[in-house]
Amino acid sequence: MEQLLVYTLTPLIVLYAIIPVILDGVERKLKAALQSRIGPPVTQTIYDLLKLVLVKEIKTQPTILYVYLSLTSSIVTGLASLYYITLYALRGDQVDMFYALALFAITTSTHTVTPLIVPNPYSFIGGIREVVLGVVNEAALITSISLYTIMAQRSVLKSTQWVTIIAVALVALTAFIASYVASSRVPFDIAEAEPEVASGIFVEFSGSVLALNIYSLLLRRLIVKLLVLAPTVGLLYGFSLTGLLVVLLLLPATWVTYATVAVILGRSRVDVAPLTLAKIYIALILISITVLLVQAYA
Amino acid sequence: MSIKSSILKRSIWVFHLNTGSCNACDIEILDALTPFHDAERFGVKLVVSPRHADAMLLTGPVTAEALPKVINAIEAMPRPRMIIALGSCGCGGGIWHDTYSTIGGVNKLLEILKERGIVVDAVYYVPGCPIRPEALLYAVALIKGIVSKKREMKIYKAE
């Protein structure tokens, strides 16, 4: 059975590797439509990445080997995380989800550490800003998805008690907000907010290293969406092959929703945003845990 | 046209560098990038680091003070690198072409770059004082091969 699953899921992993680039093109087209303009073609992100691979890279930084290693490990662990999320959506085994979360944490940390190993002060400042946001958000993302997974495992929605439904709703809200923030969209697009902030994390990279960085970012966007979609579908529909197909069908819709929210939201001050976010997360998680504890002891 | 050339022309990331301009051309550049003119439909994206850029939008006559920074910025661009000289000052120095504090336009800059062994693969000239956003988009279309050159270069000399 395990062998069969591996053979079946391998083509899906290849698909996962392509999907974020295409969906980013769709997102750019959608943003253009919302802003009443034509926008780039859907294939623009593919052209951008191919172009970056083709141009001659400027290798001034002595740590270039570590940068390549860190980015490659980020992408490989990201794809491994996607494999475990798919297994979770199929089987509903919460151990798969915890593997996926652990691998995602490695993906994020290796991606975040990349600008810090480059000997450029502007890159370092941008990297520290990303680390601060990561510390606030990753903790909330992992906590909320862990709680969400436990709730999905126990099929808590079969209970008709309103307190349970409130707790599930709060945890789901936290998970979706955390996944939105982790997808680095406005106003949390610190990595990409470069036209305004010269100290972006990509500032020193060129050519294929920049292409790897952008691809790693797009892959993270895919992972964070699947991380919240898998337990949501499991909770509402159950874990099966049909459930996995529902997750895959909902993926473009979720991507488009996040893109629409990004267009609607304005930019926030990068120094204030993580603190406000931390307060919201603490409030939401504490309320949902309290509700669950009250329900357990009542 | 080779596949590499075709891909490079589909994605043009630009870096804006003011080398002593009066800001009129800079305002027009921003106008070209707004949703009204929508330069992104041609694959154009404004980037903040010369490391990411394929083309440099050069505005103003290059002042003596700015020259070392301009050379550093051009050297930081990966090859193939292009310069789009914008406005009368960018193209030929404008009314500042022979003043003590400027080197006078992109052609003088290219001579200095050549002396230092820094290669610029292509140069595009967008004249005007200031340039119109449509003129900048015409330059982009010229790079992509959508339109042809409006004029061939002719140098007139006094007899």
Side-chain angles (χ1 to χ4, degrees):
Chain A
M1 181 63 187
E2 285 291 323
Q3 201 76 19
L4 186 70
L5 268 176
V6 169
Y7 286 132
T8 320
L9 293 183
T10 308
L12 199 59
I13 299 299
V14 176
L15 189 69
Y16 282 148
I18 304 163
I19 285 175
V21 185
I22 296 164
L23 285 179
D24 188 64
V26 174
E27 177 178 346
R28 288 170 78 172
K29 198 75 185 167
L30 176 85
K31 279 181 178 173
L34 289 170
Q35 291 166 348
S36 305
R37 58 190 175 91
I38 299 165
V42 176
T43 48
Q44 187 60 48
T45 310
I46 300 172
Y47 294 138
D48 287 348
L49 291 176
L50 283 176
K51 185 238 4 213
L52 287 172
V53 173
L54 288 174
V55 299
K56 203 172 177 182
E57 189 182 321
I58 296 176
K59 293 175 183 171
T60 51
Q61 57 273 49
T63 52
I64 190 78
L65 181 67
Y66 301 112
V67 171
Y68 267 116
L69 278 174
S70 135
L71 287 171
T72 313
S73 60
S74 170
I75 290 168
V76 170
T77 49
L79 289 171
S81 174
L82 285 168
Y83 172 75
Y84 279 106
I85 296 169
T86 314
L87 275 185
Y88 173 73
L90 267 176
R91 305 192 297 198
D93 187 354
Q94 58 188 13
V95 178
D96 289 332
M97 180 49 101
F98 294 128
Y99 278 140
L101 281 173
L103 285 164
F104 175 68
I106 297 169
T107 306
T108 308
S109 49
T110 45
H111 181 84
T112 313
V113 84
T114 313
L116 301 178
I117 55 179
V118 176
N120 180 325
Y122 298 105
S123 180
F124 191 81
I125 294 165
I128 289 292
R129 208 181 289 122
E130 190 83 356
V131 167
V132 172
L133 183 65
V135 166
V136 172
N137 194 57
E138 295 306 313
L141 183 73
I142 290 171
T143 313
S144 59
I145 289 177
S146 302
L147 281 171
Y148 208 19
T149 309
I150 293 164
M151 286 171 173
Q153 198 73 21
R154 293 183 181 176
S155 306
V156 287
L157 275 189
K158 283 176 186 168
S159 158
T160 48
Q161 285 184 326
W162 62 271
V163 276
T164 316
I165 293 165
I166 289 173
V168 173
L170 285 173
V171 168
L173 184 65
T174 315
F176 273 98
I177 294 174
S179 82
Y180 178 84
V181 176
S183 69
S184 303
R185 284 193 170 83
V186 176
F188 303 101
D189 57 337
I190 289 172
E192 283 189 309
E194 289 180 10
E196 289 81 18
V197 192
S199 53
I201 61 167
F202 298 156
V203 78
E204 187 62 29
F205 303 129
S206 66
S208 52
V209 178
L210 183 62
L212 278 175
N213 251 306
I214 294 171
Y215 182 71
S216 172
L217 185 75
L218 294 177
L219 199 64
R220 273 177 58 201
R221 282 188 179 171
L222 177 71
I223 299 167
V224 292
K225 281 172 195 71
L226 287 177
L227 273 176
V228 286
L229 276 177
T232 307
V233 172
L235 197 69
L236 297 170
Y237 192 80
F239 299 100
S240 60
L241 186 62
T242 326
L244 176 64
L245 289 175
V246 173
V247 169
L248 292 177
L249 283 174
L250 283 175
L251 177 67
T254 317
W255 198 295
V256 164
T257 312
Y258 279 27
T260 313
V261 173
V263 175
I264 295 165
L265 285 176
R267 273 196 202 291
S268 175
R269 274 175 58 184
V270 287
D271 54 339
V272 176
L275 192 66
T276 316
L277 196 67
K279 287 175 189 169
I280 294 170
Y281 284 149
I282 290 167
L284 285 172
I285 290 172
L286 282 181
I287 293 168
S288 52
I289 290 174
T290 314
V291 171
L292 278 177
L293 287 175
V294 167
Q295 191 210 5
Y297 288 104
Chain B
M1 191 164 55
S2 69
I3 297 168
K4 184 181 174 181
S5 169
S6 166
I7 290 168
L8 290 175
K9 283 178 180 177
R10 282 172 193 269
S11 166
I12 303 161
W13 289 7
V14 295
F15 176 73
H16 174 199
L17 191 68
N18 180 334
T19 62
S21 153
C22 67
N23 282 148
C25 289
D26 306 304
I27 292 165
E28 298 301 323
I29 289 172
L30 293 179
D31 197 7
L33 296 166
T34 54
F36 184 80
H37 291 286
D38 189 22
E40 202 190 1
R41 69 194 141 123
F42 298 115
V44 175
K45 186 180 165 187
L46 181 71
V47 291
V48 76
S49 173
R51 289 253 192 273
H52 308 174
D54 305 302
M56 180 171 281
L57 303 177
L58 206 77
T59 60
V62 185
T63 61
E65 185 70 25
L67 182 62
K69 288 95 175 175
V70 174
I71 293 169
N72 281 347
I74 293 171
E75 206 175 4
M77 285 167 69
R79 286 192 67 197
R81 53 172 85 101
M82 290 180 281
I83 291 180
I84 304 176
L86 300 172
S88 304
C89 304
C91 290
I95 56 170
W96 320 102
H97 71 281
D98 58 352
T99 53
Y100 70 96
S101 57
T102 72
I103 63 162
V106 74
N107 286 341
K108 296 277 172 57
L109 177 67
L110 288 173
E111 284 171 18
I112 295 168
L113 291 175
K114 198 176 175 183
E115 280 170 19
R116 297 191 180 209
I118 301 167
V119 181
V120 176
D121 295 279
V123 184
Y124 292 85
Y125 299 87
V126 184
C129 186
I131 56 150
R132 289 184 64 81
E134 292 87 346
L136 176 55
L137 293 180
Y138 196 93
V140 171
L142 196 62
I143 295 169
K144 292 172 79 75
I146 300 169
V147 293
S148 53
K149 270 186 184 178
K150 280 187 176 176
R151 294 271 172 99
E152 289 299 320
M153 192 182 79
K154 282 180 186 172
I155 299 173
Y156 296 97
K157 286 182 179 172
E159 290 179 15

